């Protein structure tokens, strides 16, 4: 519940900051926070349900991550039409706040990193958030040094690639779990 609340608050902060700063990378990261909020809520819903429920939940989460990845790629493409760099102080400050929030979430989820696909997928979301936050900070520094919008667009596209890579991994694992349950029939506690 704490991780869910942190992600919902940070979605609002990052989305607003991304709009104010004109940062594709911050907007991408904010969408990740929103997606994570959906993921965590869904994970809580299926936490004590059967393996089939948890695998289906992970499959849906993989689909959500993939959709956000495509959405961020589209945002990056639209950003290419503008040559205005983002506002660096706003971008950097919000990225630092997001890094702090995601470090806390990562620590809270650490013990679940090797659990079933449902809980493992929540930990993977948290890990991706740390990578994305670090990348947004690097983009802010590069925008400040170069005066170009390109580092922001490149990092936004990189975050999208990370979403897509993780999404396909989670989808593949979810489908394997569902196939394993289907092939071995109903097992006590599985359905």
């Amino acid at each position: 519940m704490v991780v869910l609340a942190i992600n919902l608050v940070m979605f609002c902060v990052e989305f607003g900051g991304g709009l104010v700063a004109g940062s594709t990378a911050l907007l991408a990261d904010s969408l990740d926070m929103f997606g994570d909020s959906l993921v965590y809520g869904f994970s809580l819903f299926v936490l004590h349900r059967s393996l089939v429920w948890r695998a289906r939940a992970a499959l849906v989460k993989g689909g959500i991550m993939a959709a956000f990845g495509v959405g961020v790629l589209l945002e990056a493409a639209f950003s290419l039409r503008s040559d205005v760099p983002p506002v660096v102080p706003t971008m950097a400050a919000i990225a630092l706040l997001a890094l702090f929030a995601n470090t806390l979430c990562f620590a809270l989820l650490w013990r679940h990193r090797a659990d079933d696909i449902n809980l493992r997928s929540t930990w993977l979301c948290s890990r991706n958030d740390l990578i994305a936050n670090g990348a947004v900070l690097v983009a802010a520094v590069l925008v400040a040094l170069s005066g170009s919008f390109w580092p922001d667009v490149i990092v936004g596209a990189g975050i999208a690639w990370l979403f897509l890579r993780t999404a396909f991994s989670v989808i593949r694992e979810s489908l394997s779990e569902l196939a394993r349950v289907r092939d071995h029939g109903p097992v006590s506690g599985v359905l």
Side-chain angles (χ1 to χ4, degrees), residues 31 64-76 160-161 163-164 168:
L31 288 177
I64 290 168
M65 284 188 266
F68 281 124
V70 170
V72 170
L73 284 177
L74 291 172
E75 166 59 28
W161 174 82
F163 289 170
L164 292 170
F168 290 122

Side-chain angles (χ1 to χ4, degrees), residues 11-173:
F11 160 68
C12 295
V13 170
E14 273 196 302
F15 189 79
L19 290 175
V20 169
S23 170
T24 299
L26 275 181
L27 288 172
D29 202 41
S30 76
L31 288 177
D32 180 46
M33 291 286 196
F34 181 68
D36 289 350
S37 297
L38 294 175
V39 164
Y40 298 140
F42 204 31
S43 292
L44 287 171
F45 176 72
V46 300
L47 188 60
H48 299 293
R49 298 191 188 276
S50 70
L51 179 60
V52 171
W53 268 94
R54 293 188 311 264
R56 287 178 182 157
L59 186 61
V60 169
K61 288 185 275 185
I64 290 168
M65 284 188 266
F68 281 124
V70 170
V72 170
L73 284 177
L74 291 172
E75 166 59 28
F78 291 134
S79 294
L80 293 175
R81 298 169 69 186
S82 166
D83 62 352
V84 178
V87 178
V88 174
T90 304
M91 183 180 175
I94 292 174
L96 277 171
L97 180 62
L99 181 62
F100 173 76
N102 283 317
T103 299
L104 177 59
C105 292
F106 185 79
L108 290 169
L109 294 170
W110 177 259
R111 65 187 170 134
H112 299 294
R113 70 190 182 283
D115 289 355
D116 66 31
I117 185 59
N118 180 52
L119 291 173
R120 178 169 160 66
S121 67
T122 62
W123 180 78
L124 287 170
C125 287
S126 185
R127 182 206 61 189
N128 286 354
D129 292 343
L130 290 175
I131 294 167
N133 296 143
V136 173
L137 285 170
V138 169
V141 169
L142 292 174
V143 168
L145 293 173
S146 69
S148 171
F149 72 98
W150 279 105
D152 181 58
V153 172
I154 291 168
V155 165
I159 291 171
W161 174 82
L162 182 63
F163 289 170
L164 292 170
R165 184 173 176 256
T166 302
F168 290 122
S169 172
V170 168
I171 289 168
R172 187 174 44 254
E173 287 182 50

